Amino acid sequence: SLAPAQSASAAAHEPRALAQRPRPARALGGVGPDGGSTGATTWVREGKRVDVVSADGGGVQVTGAARCAGLGGRYTGFAAPRRVREQAPAKLNLLLRVGRARADGMHPLVSVFARLELADTVEIELDPALAEDVVVCPGVAGENLVARALQALRDLLPTLPPLRATIDKRIPVAAGLGGGSADAAAALRAALALAGDAPGRSAAGASAETPSPLASSGQRAALVESEELARLALALGADVPSQLEPRHLLVWGVGEHFEPLTLPPLAVVLVPHTHGLATAHVYREFDRRHPQPPPLPDLDTVRALFATASPEQIAAAVANDLAPVAAALVPEIAVALDAVRRSGALAASVSGSGPTVFGLYRSRAEARTAAAALRAELPSGFEEPIVTAIADRSTPAPALSVQGGTAGCA
């Protein structure tokens, strides 16, 4: 039988020996107790699920249903997980007010980010065969912000080994929806979760004798909230810090200051353009058109505007200083905005630096009807409308998924 390893973790959870060797419910990589390829995954004992959520070479920490069944604790005979998957939700700028560029070229802003249900999936994997990071993003050419994020994290954590990142894109590229920033933030979260799982390395690059355990949820939260990581994220892009923990947010400064907001779960129709707009290009044009932009709104005023569950009041507050600039660069944006308004949207605007046009609707049924009508009305250059929604206020930020396991007392 498998006995709990002698550790502080085991003592804390008072685990008991597993009377029978568990059988794997599914195999997802790694080395199991019989030497086979199984890894940290879901195991079953006497009909009860045992969800392995962290591990090292000497044992595993099991929680979830296993802990609820009195089986929580640390057990030997399993290998560490080597793959972490994170959701990277799109963000929608319900409000975007832009100030005059600073000396460093960054623009102060006041914005309201709505987290959408539409999301990419980012998977980070430890692969001993790699000599350097590999980023795979089918259908997207050129440098990926995830590669820069992993390298920047390695500057902070020199022992981080080479990683493989695989991105399943659902968010349109260069669309003003924060997909690249969301992917980079998700990669940082996943890499941090794996960082403690990787064998330690000395400054000379030699492996340590004992691999360190996968970071606990508390350690991971502390890392995500650390000032060093926040500075790293801001250096990657203004939207990255706020996406380290995706939520509805009031954002100010140059993106480094933010606080959570509550928003109603309105339905959304996104109308992406075939060709993206470079954010830097849009801001340069904004500076040319507005050398002395109006003062930014007072934060308390913005809080009051969005401190309501009324869809009509939320819609009335929608505004974007970059929308006229994006429409000047891509004239068909103005045509698409008119079409979205005629479709019955509560509000229509451009998200971020564009060129994606969006409409807000009271229900998914209304949004689906509008999307069907828009297909015949949109000018050339726009893609198929996407129906999604502002994530429900009660929905937590997307959680870490290790090797497909689950946690909780369901």
Side-chain angles (χ1 to χ4, degrees), residues 92-95 110-114 249-251 261 263 302 306:
L92 194 67
N93 293 94
L94 296 181
L95 177 72
V110 172
S111 189
V112 170
F113 288 6
L249 296 167
L250 170 61
V251 182
L261 287 177
L263 297 172
V302 176
F306 287 87

Side-chain angles (χ1 to χ4, degrees), residues 356-369:
T356 298
V357 170
F358 72 88
L360 300 180
Y361 301 83
R362 291 180 180 82
S363 69
R364 287 182 186 271
E366 289 186 13
R368 285 191 290 268
T369 299

Side-chain angles (χ1 to χ4, degrees), residues 141-391:
E143 183 186 15
N144 195 293
L145 192 59
V146 166
R148 289 176 51 199
L150 294 178
Q151 184 53 56
L153 184 60
R154 190 167 288 105
D155 293 341
L156 189 63
L157 299 173
T159 60
L160 188 68
L163 300 170
R164 181 186 305 279
T166 304
I167 306 168
D168 181 10
K169 288 296 294 181
R170 292 290 182 269
I171 304 170
V173 178
L177 296 169
S181 297
D183 292 347
L188 290 172
R189 294 194 303 271
L192 282 170
L194 282 176
D197 179 45
R201 295 182 181 179
S202 67
S207 294
E209 292 184 5
T210 305
S212 56
L214 187 71
S216 69
S217 59
Q219 291 169 322
R220 179 170 177 269
L223 285 168
V224 167
E225 294 172 3
S226 72
E227 290 186 9
E228 283 184 300
L229 186 64
R231 285 194 294 269
L232 179 159
L234 185 61
L236 293 171
D239 287 346
V240 179
S242 61
Q243 300 310 301
L244 288 172
E245 187 179 353
R247 293 168 290 180
H248 307 319
L249 296 167
L250 170 61
V251 182
W252 68 95
V254 292
E256 79 278 29
H257 301 302
F258 43 87
E259 66 185 32
L261 287 177
T262 297
L263 297 172
L266 292 168
V268 178
V269 173
L270 302 174
V271 186
H273 197 272
T274 304
H275 302 292
L277 267 177
T279 300
H281 186 193
V282 177
Y283 273 98
R284 282 195 298 269
E285 182 63 14
F286 175 84
D287 293 339
R288 188 185 71 79
R289 289 167 168 261
H290 304 285
Q292 295 291 338
L296 293 173
D298 176 72
L299 292 177
D300 286 337
T301 301
V302 176
R303 290 185 184 102
L305 279 173
F306 287 87
T308 174
S310 165
E312 290 75 16
Q313 288 180 275
I314 294 294
V318 170
N320 183 352
D321 287 344
L322 297 181
V325 181
L329 295 172
V330 183
E332 55 266 36
I333 285 177
V335 180
L337 282 168
D338 286 341
V340 171
R341 293 185 185 105
R342 289 195 305 271
S343 74
L346 293 169
S349 188
V350 173
S351 185
S353 56
T356 298
V357 170
F358 72 88
L360 300 180
Y361 301 83
R362 291 180 180 82
S363 69
R364 287 182 186 271
E366 289 186 13
R368 285 191 290 268
T369 299
L374 284 168
R375 292 185 183 99
E377 295 192 33
L378 290 172
S380 61
F382 282 93
E383 298 179 352
E384 185 81 2
I386 299 170
V387 177
T388 182
I390 295 174

Side-chain angles (χ1 to χ4, degrees), residues 16-79:
R16 52 189 184 181
L18 290 173
Q20 301 174 10
R21 186 183 298 272
R23 60 180 178 82
R26 49 183 174 162
L28 293 171
V31 180
D34 298 315
S37 177
T38 58
T41 179
T42 300
W43 296 70
V44 175
R45 173 183 179 269
E46 297 175 356
K48 298 185 190 317
R49 293 169 62 87
V50 178
D51 297 327
V52 177
V53 297
S54 65
D56 59 34
V60 299
Q61 184 75 27
V62 294
T63 59
R67 184 168 182 176
C68 298
L71 300 176
R74 185 175 178 81
Y75 296 88
T76 58
F78 297 84

